[in-house]
Amino acid sequence: MLDSKIRNQLEEIVGQERLLEKPEELICYSYDAYLEESMPDLVLLPVTCEEVSKIMKICSSYKIPVTARGAGTSVCGASIPIKHGIVLCFSQMNKIMEINTKDRYIIVQPGVVNIDIQKALEPFKFFYPPDPGSMNVATIGGNVAQNAGGPRCLKYGVTADYILGMEVVLASGKTVRFGSRNVKDVTGYRLSGLFCGSEGTLGIVTEIILRVVPLPETIKTILVTFDDLDDTARSVSDIIGAGILPVAMELLDKLTINAIEDSANLGFPREAQGSLLIEIDGVKEACEKEMQKVIEKVKANNATSIKEAKSDKERDELWEARRSAFGVFAKLAPDIFSEDVTVPASKIPSMIRKTVAIAQKYGLKVGILAHAGDGNMHPMIPADKSNKEEWERVEKAFDEIVEAAVSLNGTLSGEHGIGLAKTRFLPLVMNEDSIEFMSVIKKAVDPDGILNPGKFV
Amino acid sequence: MKSTVLQNCNKCGLCLSVCPTYKVLNQEHASPRARLQLINFYKDKKVLSSIGLKEIISKCLMCGSCAAICPSGINHYSQFMEMRTKMRHDHGEKVAIKSLIFLLAKEYRIRLAAGFAEFSQRIIPDNFIEKYNLGNIPVKKFPKLNKKPLRKAVPEIISPEKSKKGTVLYFTGCATNYAFDGTGFATIKILKQMGSEVIIPEKQTCCGIPMLFHGARDQAEKNILINIECLSQDDVKAIIVDCPTCGSALKNEYPALQKQLNLDDTAVQKISSKVIDIMSFILQESDHTDLFETSVKMKVTYHLPCHLKNGLKSSYNTEKILREHPGLEYIQAEDVDECCGGGGTFFYEYPEISKQMVATKLKNARSTGAEVWLTDCPVCRINLSGNLKEKDNMIVKHPVEML
């Protein structure tokens, strides 16, 4: 519980309306899209940088834990206040400050939802490429904190590749600014890269300058099916290996396709062992040429059918089906365990084989779903958390999947983050000195450890 | 691979993107996900019942958009309804809402009240009517009540115009019966033209939804039983509704309550399978184009009610007819399928939130330049027309009145 004197000081900053303290309100900020829960002592909804700065000054002088939150869609528990204290929720600090497509940037507050950035840019025929699955809900502040990805990051890169500058409130309450409105800028350290992906452990981002790009002239989308999952995976490695760069290349196995068909009946081939959803964009001629090369590669790997989307509507349907994958899987059991390990493109076939074998070993169902082009795997295990014995098997399988990825020069997480979910695996990919180096930075910036404590650093 | 188990909320947050209240307030504690979590905490006795809890549970339009988008297929609707019952039990209800429930629970009370209100509308001094608002809506803008309830103005059995192509039951709902008889007359006229014998069961009464939304399940039960009885008629090919909320009550909520209220399962399922909104029924029957009145020439726009979209799952039928109709120039509003903020009594209970929702609707409808704003739902209709300004020169109607 927070001392009433401190509480009153905080109320003076944000006012009564934006300070939450009743149990039924606090509960609503005790969770995100991860499996755990932890109650905050107080929730504040700041709307300006000044408010954040004042709040941080108080929190640092009393050493109160502060966990920043956007829309609470983290799947690794990054926004769960595991050490209690204060949740700073940014969902109401959601103004778009400037749109400048001539100079190709947009300036936003952290609470702006990703999809609202897309909508604001559309009239100018521009877009902001990172497209996490939660883009209709998730805020850009959360995207930045987690260095969010998405299907089209294969071609366009992830959140960190689009940050030109940012304004950050430090643990001390001081406000610092890095970067500028310029794509080229080597003035000082590139600190935006340090804060992006720091999961709120180093500072509180209060404004972001994002690079934006023109919408492509043409988009071509195909759905390819295979009789063999190995052929499917090899096609991915071959396409990437040949220097072709699709916007997205999504892999779905038989179990996943059938789960989608059961709920939506989109006419996906149920017999196929593997399917690839491939999208190419750019100027028309280049698109056609690239697509030709893609088709050669999948044919060489025994593709059984290739279907091109004939209209925007057909294209939307294919993507709709892909996006529904998580949901339809979630319906197979009370809970769902979704993974995020990532391996180099050439290792995709072996990673898939290993995943299937691990699931078999533990008697679990697994759906293989992947942003395959960049090796970002999302195997999904439907299970029942209340069934202790089954859940133990799920956790063991999960451990082995992570170990398998690491053994293939892969990494723990492609786009979901470490948060509460994967801290214990860090030593698998980082040596002691590397982990210690992160702590050195953390201590220098946040000596009292008040920013999102209890997470990976 | 059909699911048989009860799903857990995975807390993915997708429901936040479609929740009208969340979109206005941008607060997790005004989101469907939060309401579900609180219901779970309450069940596990990790949070106690309180006025604050009731407030969070009630600050919801019951539009059903969260359930429609939920990847885990959770039925938010019935969970919310059950929780509302508990909260009403623990903390009571506002006097105005209580009176509404009291009225709707007995047909004769509705009739008396409507008669009195119709009378009052004539005798209440104009300066009172000019001055007062109910929620956002000026009292003077509420619909004038029917001189005579629709069901008293027409016979119980109406013969078709030409050769009989079957019999339909018409569930008029309270709004059409007491306030919007124009919708009722138009519905009957079209059904007759289509060759339907129309039966309007005399005993039918309020579908029960307003009571269920406010947690008054016991009061709703009696109405539900009466309606099941008078709608269970053999040799009827459809049960026509003009109100999407009544429609989704008959189609979805009665079956959902079957176990709890020990309703006759066969009867409930039969009714559910026959319920259809008038616009979809017109579209479904062949040769509907000859029903169009071609002498009209009008620019119209449309608002898709949430319960038509999420309850009756009939998102496109009305618009399809509007596009086909040679006498109408249909211009789609940008946010045609966004909630208007009416939500039963939401506009009365949370006028500040409702106002923000309807403001965007008004802006987009105005920019279509339409003379008539069509919508199938009577509450949407009251909310939209109540918020239009004199200078807007736009009237709100049920689409069936345009054929």
Side-chain angles (χ1 to χ4, degrees), chain A residues 172-206:
Chain A
S172 61
K174 282 185 184 161
T175 306
V176 292
R177 289 179 187 84
F178 311 113
S180 63
R181 288 166 169 76
N182 304 287
V183 171
K184 282 188 163 178
D185 184 348
V186 293
T187 317
Y189 293 144
R190 189 156 189 102
L191 290 170
S192 55
L194 178 66
F195 286 95
C196 178
S198 69
E199 300 189 7
T201 60
L202 295 179
I204 309 279
V205 177
T206 50

mmCIF file of all heavy atoms in Angstrom, chain A residues 172-206:
data_model
loop_
_atom_site.group_PDB
_atom_site.id
_atom_site.type_symbol
_atom_site.label_atom_id
_atom_site.label_comp_id
_atom_site.label_asym_id
_atom_site.label_seq_id
_atom_site.Cartn_x
_atom_site.Cartn_y
_atom_site.Cartn_z
ATOM 1 N N SER A 172 14.886 9.266 -12.823
ATOM 2 C CA SER A 172 15.068 10.458 -11.973
ATOM 3 C C SER A 172 13.989 11.512 -12.207
ATOM 4 O O SER A 172 13.848 12.439 -11.423
ATOM 5 C CB SER A 172 16.425 11.085 -12.283
ATOM 6 O OG SER A 172 16.434 11.481 -13.648
ATOM 7 N N GLY A 173 13.264 11.398 -13.345
ATOM 8 C CA GLY A 173 12.281 12.414 -13.693
ATOM 9 C C GLY A 173 12.817 13.394 -14.727
ATOM 10 O O GLY A 173 12.091 14.242 -15.237
ATOM 11 N N LYS A 174 14.118 13.272 -15.039
ATOM 12 C CA LYS A 174 14.691 14.139 -16.079
ATOM 13 C C LYS A 174 14.156 13.710 -17.449
ATOM 14 O O LYS A 174 13.953 12.515 -17.694
ATOM 15 C CB LYS A 174 16.214 14.026 -16.081
ATOM 16 C CG LYS A 174 16.851 14.811 -14.973
ATOM 17 C CD LYS A 174 18.364 14.775 -15.090
ATOM 18 C CE LYS A 174 18.978 15.489 -13.904
ATOM 19 N NZ LYS A 174 20.370 15.130 -13.697
ATOM 20 N N THR A 175 13.973 14.706 -18.334
ATOM 21 C CA THR A 175 13.483 14.380 -19.675
ATOM 22 C C THR A 175 14.622 14.528 -20.676
ATOM 23 O O THR A 175 15.288 15.565 -20.712
ATOM 24 C CB THR A 175 12.339 15.335 -20.058
ATOM 25 O OG1 THR A 175 11.358 15.264 -19.031
ATOM 26 C CG2 THR A 175 11.710 14.926 -21.376
ATOM 27 N N VAL A 176 14.851 13.485 -21.482
ATOM 28 C CA VAL A 176 15.941 13.524 -22.467
ATOM 29 C C VAL A 176 15.385 13.277 -23.865
ATOM 30 O O VAL A 176 14.327 12.661 -24.017
ATOM 31 C CB VAL A 176 17.025 12.473 -22.141
ATOM 32 C CG1 VAL A 176 17.763 12.839 -20.867
ATOM 33 C CG2 VAL A 176 16.414 11.082 -22.014
ATOM 34 N N ARG A 177 16.072 13.806 -24.872
ATOM 35 C CA ARG A 177 15.628 13.618 -26.260
ATOM 36 C C ARG A 177 16.773 13.118 -27.119
ATOM 37 O O ARG A 177 17.887 13.646 -27.026
ATOM 38 C CB ARG A 177 15.086 14.936 -26.828
ATOM 39 C CG ARG A 177 13.765 15.330 -26.208
ATOM 40 C CD ARG A 177 13.209 16.639 -26.729
ATOM 41 N NE ARG A 177 12.021 16.990 -25.944
ATOM 42 C CZ ARG A 177 12.067 17.623 -24.774
ATOM 43 N NH1 ARG A 177 13.242 17.993 -24.254
ATOM 44 N NH2 ARG A 177 10.957 17.876 -24.102
ATOM 45 N N PHE A 178 16.483 12.096 -27.927
ATOM 46 C CA PHE A 178 17.506 11.538 -28.823
ATOM 47 C C PHE A 178 16.997 11.547 -30.249
ATOM 48 O O PHE A 178 15.802 11.413 -30.477
ATOM 49 C CB PHE A 178 17.829 10.091 -28.461
ATOM 50 C CG PHE A 178 18.090 9.888 -27.005
ATOM 51 C CD1 PHE A 178 17.222 9.141 -26.240
ATOM 52 C CD2 PHE A 178 19.212 10.454 -26.416
ATOM 53 C CE1 PHE A 178 17.466 8.958 -24.892
ATOM 54 C CE2 PHE A 178 19.455 10.273 -25.065
ATOM 55 C CZ PHE A 178 18.577 9.516 -24.298
ATOM 56 N N GLY A 179 17.961 11.600 -31.187
ATOM 57 C CA GLY A 179 17.597 11.529 -32.595
ATOM 58 C C GLY A 179 16.967 12.821 -33.053
ATOM 59 O O GLY A 179 16.998 13.845 -32.359
ATOM 60 N N SER A 180 16.365 12.767 -34.252
ATOM 61 C CA SER A 180 15.812 13.987 -34.838
ATOM 62 C C SER A 180 14.810 13.585 -35.903
ATOM 63 O O SER A 180 14.421 12.431 -35.984
ATOM 64 C CB SER A 180 16.943 14.792 -35.468
ATOM 65 O OG SER A 180 17.522 14.028 -36.521
ATOM 66 N N ARG A 181 14.440 14.550 -36.760
ATOM 67 C CA ARG A 181 13.517 14.223 -37.848
ATOM 68 C C ARG A 181 14.263 13.675 -39.063
ATOM 69 O O ARG A 181 13.677 13.528 -40.127
ATOM 70 C CB ARG A 181 12.749 15.486 -38.244
ATOM 71 C CG ARG A 181 11.704 15.919 -37.210
ATOM 72 C CD ARG A 181 11.260 17.337 -37.512
ATOM 73 N NE ARG A 181 10.085 17.747 -36.735
ATOM 74 C CZ ARG A 181 10.094 18.083 -35.450
ATOM 75 N NH1 ARG A 181 11.231 18.028 -34.761
ATOM 76 N NH2 ARG A 181 8.990 18.455 -34.837
ATOM 77 N N ASN A 182 15.551 13.412 -38.928
ATOM 78 C CA ASN A 182 16.376 13.011 -40.081
ATOM 79 C C ASN A 182 16.685 11.525 -40.094
ATOM 80 O O ASN A 182 17.014 10.941 -39.069
ATOM 81 C CB ASN A 182 17.691 13.797 -40.058
ATOM 82 C CG ASN A 182 17.432 15.290 -40.028
ATOM 83 O OD1 ASN A 182 17.026 15.872 -41.030
ATOM 84 N ND2 ASN A 182 17.598 15.897 -38.852
ATOM 85 N N VAL A 183 16.598 10.943 -41.308
ATOM 86 C CA VAL A 183 16.918 9.517 -41.443
ATOM 87 C C VAL A 183 18.399 9.307 -41.133
ATOM 88 O O VAL A 183 18.782 8.365 -40.459
ATOM 89 C CB VAL A 183 16.593 9.019 -42.869
ATOM 90 C CG1 VAL A 183 17.125 7.612 -43.074
ATOM 91 C CG2 VAL A 183 15.083 9.055 -43.098
ATOM 92 N N LYS A 184 19.234 10.218 -41.663
ATOM 93 C CA LYS A 184 20.663 10.119 -41.350
ATOM 94 C C LYS A 184 20.942 11.031 -40.154
ATOM 95 O O LYS A 184 20.655 12.225 -40.204
ATOM 96 C CB LYS A 184 21.487 10.557 -42.550
ATOM 97 C CG LYS A 184 21.571 9.495 -43.633
ATOM 98 C CD LYS A 184 22.553 9.931 -44.694
ATOM 99 C CE LYS A 184 22.984 8.753 -45.556
ATOM 100 N NZ LYS A 184 23.904 9.215 -46.614
ATOM 101 N N ASP A 185 21.478 10.460 -39.113
ATOM 102 C CA ASP A 185 21.763 11.257 -37.922
ATOM 103 C C ASP A 185 22.739 10.475 -37.049
ATOM 104 O O ASP A 185 22.382 9.492 -36.419
ATOM 105 C CB ASP A 185 20.450 11.528 -37.154
ATOM 106 C CG ASP A 185 20.671 12.441 -35.955
ATOM 107 O OD1 ASP A 185 21.855 12.672 -35.596
ATOM 108 O OD2 ASP A 185 19.675 12.898 -35.384
ATOM 109 N N VAL A 186 24.003 10.906 -37.059
ATOM 110 C CA VAL A 186 24.998 10.201 -36.241
ATOM 111 C C VAL A 186 25.487 11.084 -35.096
ATOM 112 O O VAL A 186 26.631 11.011 -34.686
ATOM 113 C CB VAL A 186 26.186 9.674 -37.073
ATOM 114 C CG1 VAL A 186 25.723 8.578 -38.001
ATOM 115 C CG2 VAL A 186 26.848 10.798 -37.873
ATOM 116 N N THR A 187 24.572 11.949 -34.643
ATOM 117 C CA THR A 187 24.925 12.840 -33.545
ATOM 118 C C THR A 187 24.823 12.094 -32.213
ATOM 119 O O THR A 187 23.734 11.855 -31.721
ATOM 120 C CB THR A 187 23.964 14.046 -33.537
ATOM 121 O OG1 THR A 187 23.793 14.491 -34.885
ATOM 122 C CG2 THR A 187 24.499 15.179 -32.692
ATOM 123 N N GLY A 188 25.936 11.696 -31.689
ATOM 124 C CA GLY A 188 25.939 10.985 -30.401
ATOM 125 C C GLY A 188 25.551 9.518 -30.539
ATOM 126 O O GLY A 188 25.403 8.994 -31.646
ATOM 127 N N TYR A 189 25.397 8.855 -29.389
ATOM 128 C CA TYR A 189 24.983 7.446 -29.394
ATOM 129 C C TYR A 189 23.614 7.309 -30.034
ATOM 130 O O TYR A 189 22.793 8.210 -29.930
ATOM 131 C CB TYR A 189 24.861 6.920 -27.966
ATOM 132 C CG TYR A 189 26.138 6.808 -27.185
ATOM 133 C CD1 TYR A 189 26.152 7.071 -25.826
ATOM 134 C CD2 TYR A 189 27.316 6.397 -27.803
ATOM 135 C CE1 TYR A 189 27.311 6.961 -25.082
ATOM 136 C CE2 TYR A 189 28.481 6.297 -27.066
ATOM 137 C CZ TYR A 189 28.481 6.572 -25.712
ATOM 138 O OH TYR A 189 29.625 6.461 -24.989
ATOM 139 N N ARG A 190 23.343 6.175 -30.658
ATOM 140 C CA ARG A 190 21.988 5.935 -31.190
ATOM 141 C C ARG A 190 21.166 5.324 -30.050
ATOM 142 O O ARG A 190 20.947 4.109 -29.987
ATOM 143 C CB ARG A 190 22.029 5.022 -32.397
ATOM 144 C CG ARG A 190 20.679 4.937 -33.082
ATOM 145 C CD ARG A 190 20.767 4.550 -34.542
ATOM 146 N NE ARG A 190 19.464 4.686 -35.187
ATOM 147 C CZ ARG A 190 19.124 5.692 -35.962
ATOM 148 N NH1 ARG A 190 19.981 6.672 -36.190
ATOM 149 N NH2 ARG A 190 17.929 5.724 -36.519
ATOM 150 N N LEU A 191 20.747 6.174 -29.156
ATOM 151 C CA LEU A 191 20.134 5.669 -27.928
ATOM 152 C C LEU A 191 18.693 5.195 -28.124
ATOM 153 O O LEU A 191 18.166 4.465 -27.290
ATOM 154 C CB LEU A 191 20.215 6.724 -26.830
ATOM 155 C CG LEU A 191 21.667 6.926 -26.338
ATOM 156 C CD1 LEU A 191 21.768 8.144 -25.440
ATOM 157 C CD2 LEU A 191 22.182 5.696 -25.611
ATOM 158 N N SER A 192 18.083 5.612 -29.253
ATOM 159 C CA SER A 192 16.734 5.107 -29.489
ATOM 160 C C SER A 192 16.764 3.579 -29.550
ATOM 161 O O SER A 192 15.832 2.910 -29.104
ATOM 162 C CB SER A 192 16.150 5.690 -30.768
ATOM 163 O OG SER A 192 17.015 5.444 -31.851
ATOM 164 N N GLY A 193 17.867 3.042 -30.061
ATOM 165 C CA GLY A 193 18.021 1.593 -30.160
ATOM 166 C C GLY A 193 18.175 0.934 -28.797
ATOM 167 O O GLY A 193 17.896 -0.247 -28.626
ATOM 168 N N LEU A 194 18.630 1.710 -27.826
ATOM 169 C CA LEU A 194 18.789 1.169 -26.476
ATOM 170 C C LEU A 194 17.430 1.086 -25.775
ATOM 171 O O LEU A 194 17.094 0.088 -25.145
ATOM 172 C CB LEU A 194 19.741 2.061 -25.678
ATOM 173 C CG LEU A 194 19.997 1.673 -24.223
ATOM 174 C CD1 LEU A 194 20.749 0.343 -24.151
ATOM 175 C CD2 LEU A 194 20.795 2.756 -23.511
ATOM 176 N N PHE A 195 16.649 2.158 -25.929
ATOM 177 C CA PHE A 195 15.348 2.182 -25.250
ATOM 178 C C PHE A 195 14.320 1.301 -25.943
ATOM 179 O O PHE A 195 13.452 0.715 -25.303
ATOM 180 C CB PHE A 195 14.849 3.628 -25.120
ATOM 181 C CG PHE A 195 15.594 4.399 -24.075
ATOM 182 C CD1 PHE A 195 16.676 5.197 -24.410
ATOM 183 C CD2 PHE A 195 15.241 4.279 -22.735
ATOM 184 C CE1 PHE A 195 17.384 5.880 -23.433
ATOM 185 C CE2 PHE A 195 15.945 4.954 -21.753
ATOM 186 C CZ PHE A 195 17.018 5.764 -22.096
ATOM 187 N N CYS A 196 14.428 1.211 -27.288
ATOM 188 C CA CYS A 196 13.490 0.365 -28.020
ATOM 189 C C CYS A 196 13.805 -1.100 -27.701
ATOM 190 O O CYS A 196 14.922 -1.562 -27.924
ATOM 191 C CB CYS A 196 13.615 0.620 -29.513
ATOM 192 S SG CYS A 196 12.532 -0.432 -30.480
ATOM 193 N N GLY A 197 12.848 -1.806 -27.164
ATOM 194 C CA GLY A 197 13.073 -3.201 -26.793
ATOM 195 C C GLY A 197 13.506 -3.362 -25.344
ATOM 196 O O GLY A 197 13.727 -4.474 -24.881
ATOM 197 N N SER A 198 13.621 -2.242 -24.610
ATOM 198 C CA SER A 198 14.068 -2.351 -23.216
ATOM 199 C C SER A 198 12.921 -2.736 -22.281
ATOM 200 O O SER A 198 13.107 -2.883 -21.084
ATOM 201 C CB SER A 198 14.691 -1.030 -22.760
ATOM 202 O OG SER A 198 13.679 -0.042 -22.663
ATOM 203 N N GLU A 199 11.725 -2.899 -22.826
ATOM 204 C CA GLU A 199 10.559 -3.354 -22.065
ATOM 205 C C GLU A 199 10.290 -2.474 -20.838
ATOM 206 O O GLU A 199 9.893 -2.970 -19.779
ATOM 207 C CB GLU A 199 10.702 -4.830 -21.677
ATOM 208 C CG GLU A 199 10.837 -5.739 -22.901
ATOM 209 C CD GLU A 199 10.775 -7.229 -22.574
ATOM 210 O OE1 GLU A 199 10.504 -7.584 -21.417
ATOM 211 O OE2 GLU A 199 10.979 -8.030 -23.504
ATOM 212 N N GLY A 200 10.523 -1.197 -20.993
ATOM 213 C CA GLY A 200 10.199 -0.270 -19.904
ATOM 214 C C GLY A 200 11.125 -0.357 -18.714
ATOM 215 O O GLY A 200 10.795 0.137 -17.634
ATOM 216 N N THR A 201 12.302 -0.968 -18.876
ATOM 217 C CA THR A 201 13.214 -1.108 -17.737
ATOM 218 C C THR A 201 14.226 0.029 -17.655
ATOM 219 O O THR A 201 14.955 0.139 -16.678
ATOM 220 C CB THR A 201 13.995 -2.438 -17.798
ATOM 221 O OG1 THR A 201 14.761 -2.442 -19.017
ATOM 222 C CG2 THR A 201 13.072 -3.641 -17.780
ATOM 223 N N LEU A 202 14.287 0.877 -18.707
ATOM 224 C CA LEU A 202 15.303 1.934 -18.704
ATOM 225 C C LEU A 202 14.729 3.342 -18.654
ATOM 226 O O LEU A 202 15.393 4.271 -18.222
ATOM 227 C CB LEU A 202 16.195 1.808 -19.956
ATOM 228 C CG LEU A 202 17.053 0.546 -20.064
ATOM 229 C CD1 LEU A 202 17.841 0.567 -21.358
ATOM 230 C CD2 LEU A 202 17.990 0.402 -18.879
ATOM 231 N N GLY A 203 13.524 3.516 -19.150
ATOM 232 C CA GLY A 203 12.940 4.855 -19.177
ATOM 233 C C GLY A 203 11.511 4.776 -19.675
ATOM 234 O O GLY A 203 11.042 3.728 -20.097
ATOM 235 N N ILE A 204 10.827 5.921 -19.591
ATOM 236 C CA ILE A 204 9.437 5.968 -20.024
ATOM 237 C C ILE A 204 9.367 6.840 -21.273
ATOM 238 O O ILE A 204 9.642 8.044 -21.220
ATOM 239 C CB ILE A 204 8.547 6.594 -18.920
ATOM 240 C CG1 ILE A 204 8.788 5.917 -17.561
ATOM 241 C CG2 ILE A 204 7.094 6.576 -19.338
ATOM 242 C CD1 ILE A 204 8.077 4.627 -17.328
ATOM 243 N N VAL A 205 9.032 6.227 -22.402
ATOM 244 C CA VAL A 205 8.978 6.955 -23.673
ATOM 245 C C VAL A 205 7.712 7.805 -23.714
ATOM 246 O O VAL A 205 6.610 7.299 -23.500
ATOM 247 C CB VAL A 205 9.011 5.972 -24.856
ATOM 248 C CG1 VAL A 205 8.869 6.720 -26.178
ATOM 249 C CG2 VAL A 205 10.292 5.155 -24.839
ATOM 250 N N THR A 206 7.862 9.105 -23.985
ATOM 251 C CA THR A 206 6.684 9.985 -23.979
ATOM 252 C C THR A 206 6.380 10.588 -25.348
ATOM 253 O O THR A 206 5.334 11.205 -25.529
ATOM 254 C CB THR A 206 6.861 11.122 -22.953
ATOM 255 O OG1 THR A 206 8.137 11.720 -23.165
ATOM 256 C CG2 THR A 206 6.778 10.594 -21.532
#
